[in-house]
Amino acid sequence: MVRIIPMVSSSIRPSSYLTCSSFMFCNTCAPSRRFAYLATDFIVIILKARALFPCLICALICNGDTAVPQSHFFGLKASSKIWRGESRTIATGNMAQASTAATQESLLEWVKKDKRRMLHVVYRVGDLDRTIKFYTECLGMKLLRKRDIPEERYTNAFLGYGPEDSHFVIELTYNYGVDSYDIGAGFGHFGIAVEDVAKTVELIKAKGGKVNREPGPVKGGSTVIAFIEDPDGYKFELLERGPTPEPLCQVMLRVGDLDRSINFYEKAFGMKLLRKRDNPEYKYTIAMMGYGSEDKNCVLELTYNYGVTEYDKGNAYAQIAIGTDDVYRTAEAVEIFGGKVTREPGPLPGINTKITACLDPDGWKTVFVDNIDFLKELE
């Protein structure tokens, strides 16, 4: 469902949520989303500003002529020139600060209440049938649907452990004639919860799969894990757990500033910091972010390696899609809390599904999809 911008050449086609410049709003229309909630925010700004700076507000309203005695301003004496000129500059600056603070507070409250869920992860593969066979036979996934778009020379396949309207799934993209991609160093792995790691590993070996780490306790803990690799080189961490409603449970990405990333995903994406663990012996720190507990939801695992501030992202991994009730307000929150909007919010031509695309501070891409429009696509 998520269209991908070509990464290598014109032969690489996107998936379904296109972020192409041809679908960007014009300069006249694009800024309109910034005023969608102007009335509410303006009232909040005025009330906060008046509470914080009553004398300055009066000075502005009264044009500085008959407002309040100069001595009321922080106990300082000032000339008529300062009162009528420089005080207005101070007032304007304080009003701007109050405006920004009020807007941030308003967006923070909205983001917390927005109904968000991680929908799917999108990445490119070189042989779709080979990958589908590996995921279904070795990892126990189901092929949920498949679609071919010959006019744009690509095919999508959706796989997972349950229906798309309630489970986090994988969207594979095969671009005609492209048989390999660069995974890069930034993408880490996907996590899958299984009841018996050793048994799963044996099955993968029997099918000719590659095992990178044999089953055993995680370093510094007791959870039994193993690492395996799919035919395209994507790594999967197998985690031994009891039955779970969301077996596809993790997406791990590496970041250059963990605290910055945590702050961004909390404020702009509305995720919660579920846990944070430092491993000084191995010189890395992880943070688990998500919309619910790890045992019942897919979560984002952010990894910071000591001293590494940036990574090569390659051209294989594409993005995560997240549902939202309002793509317009989502774009506002992304921008104000340090992200970059790469596709202005609005409907996709032809299917009218409303989306917006953005980059986090490290350049990882996310596409937000309108919740109602997403469900209509599945009908």
Side-chain angles (χ1 to χ4, degrees):
M1 307 197 167
V2 174
R3 305 190 75 176
I4 309 168
I5 296 179
M7 301 293 291
V8 179
S9 68
S10 59
S11 66
I12 301 178
R13 292 296 178 185
S15 173
S16 59
Y17 292 141
L18 185 66
T19 56
C20 176
S21 60
S22 62
F23 294 142
M24 294 286 284
F25 292 121
C26 67
N27 292 333
T28 302
C29 300
S32 63
R33 66 179 171 83
R34 305 180 186 280
F35 303 98
Y37 299 88
L38 179 60
T40 301
D41 288 344
F42 181 75
I43 293 172
V44 173
I45 292 166
I46 291 300
L47 290 176
K48 287 182 175 289
R50 182 170 181 178
L52 293 171
F53 314 109
C55 295
L56 295 179
I57 296 298
C58 292
L60 289 174
I61 295 173
C62 298
N63 199 33
D65 295 324
T66 59
V68 294
Q70 299 167 17
S71 59
H72 285 196
F73 277 90
F74 312 107
L76 300 176
K77 294 183 179 181
S79 66
S80 176
K81 178 180 178 181
I82 294 175
W83 165 248
R84 296 189 181 188
E86 294 180 12
S87 65
R88 293 179 188 173
T89 301
I90 297 172
T92 302
N94 287 327
M95 283 287 287
Q97 292 176 3
S99 171
T100 301
T103 300
Q104 288 183 350
E105 184 177 334
S106 174
L107 283 171
L108 274 175
E109 289 302 312
W110 178 81
V111 167
K112 290 178 182 178
K113 297 176 182 178
D114 190 25
K115 295 178 181 178
R116 296 187 173 182
R117 180 176 73 85
M118 292 173 64
L119 304 177
H120 48 255
V121 62
V122 189
Y123 52 99
R124 304 171 179 90
V125 297
D127 185 328
L128 193 59
D129 291 334
R130 177 187 64 185
T131 304
I132 291 173
K133 182 178 180 180
F134 182 84
Y135 287 6
T136 54
E137 294 184 1
C138 297
L139 299 179
M141 294 186 192
K142 296 178 181 178
L143 176 61
L144 304 173
R145 59 190 174 103
K146 186 178 179 180
R147 65 183 176 196
D148 185 38
I149 314 294
E151 63 272 20
E152 297 190 37
R153 297 178 58 77
Y154 74 90
T155 306
N156 291 137
F158 296 81
L159 297 101
Y161 295 98
E164 293 177 63
D165 61 357
S166 59
H167 288 71
F168 185 71
V169 306
I170 288 172
E171 179 182 342
L172 302 175
T173 297
Y174 168 69
N175 293 291
Y176 290 9
V178 184
D179 58 10
S180 65
Y181 296 91
D182 175 19
I183 294 179
F187 170 77
H189 61 261
F190 303 112
I192 297 180
V194 299
E195 294 187 43
D196 191 328
V197 168
K199 184 177 180 180
T200 303
V201 167
E202 288 303 315
L203 174 62
I204 292 170
K205 286 181 177 179
K207 296 288 184 179
K210 182 179 180 181
V211 177
N212 302 98
R213 182 199 190 275
E214 293 291 338
V218 65
K219 294 176 180 178
S222 59
T223 302
V224 176
I225 68 166
F227 276 91
I228 61 100
E229 195 172 296
D230 79 359
D232 288 274
Y234 292 100
K235 290 182 174 61
F236 286 79
E237 180 182 13
L238 306 179
L239 302 99
E240 193 160 280
R241 294 180 182 175
T244 173
E246 192 68 278
L248 187 57
C249 58
Q250 291 178 4
V251 177
M252 194 275 259
L253 303 174
R254 297 182 176 93
V255 298
D257 184 328
L258 191 58
D259 290 335
R260 178 186 65 182
S261 295
I262 291 172
N263 183 65
F264 174 79
Y265 280 97
E266 284 181 327
K267 293 181 178 179
F269 281 28
M271 291 185 178
K272 295 180 180 179
L273 175 60
L274 304 173
R275 63 186 173 95
K276 186 178 179 181
R277 186 179 79 239
D278 185 34
N279 295 274
E281 181 181 356
Y282 300 101
K283 297 184 178 181
Y284 74 90
T285 308
I286 64 168
M288 296 295 191
M289 311 286 298
Y291 297 109
S293 61
E294 292 180 61
D295 60 336
K296 296 180 180 179
N297 300 271
C298 183
V299 300
L300 188 62
E301 178 181 345
L302 302 177
T303 298
Y304 167 69
N305 292 294
Y306 291 8
V308 184
T309 58
E310 59 182 47
Y311 295 91
D312 170 28
K313 295 179 177 60
N315 63 352
Y317 174 86
Q319 66 221 21
I320 289 175
I322 297 175
T324 176
D325 284 339
D326 191 329
V327 297
Y328 299 93
R329 290 222 86 179
T330 293
E332 290 282 356
V334 167
E335 286 190 332
I336 203 166
F337 294 122
K340 179 181 179 182
V341 173
T342 56
R343 201 281 185 190
E344 290 290 336
L348 287 168
I351 62 175
N352 294 320
T353 296
K354 292 183 289 295
I355 72 163
T356 189
C358 65
L359 301 179
D360 76 357
D362 288 276
W364 293 113
K365 182 181 176 183
T366 299
V367 173
F368 283 89
V369 186
D370 181 89
N371 285 324
I372 295 175
D373 293 345
F374 174 70
L375 294 176
K376 288 180 180 178
E377 281 193 35
L378 301 179
E379 294 176 354

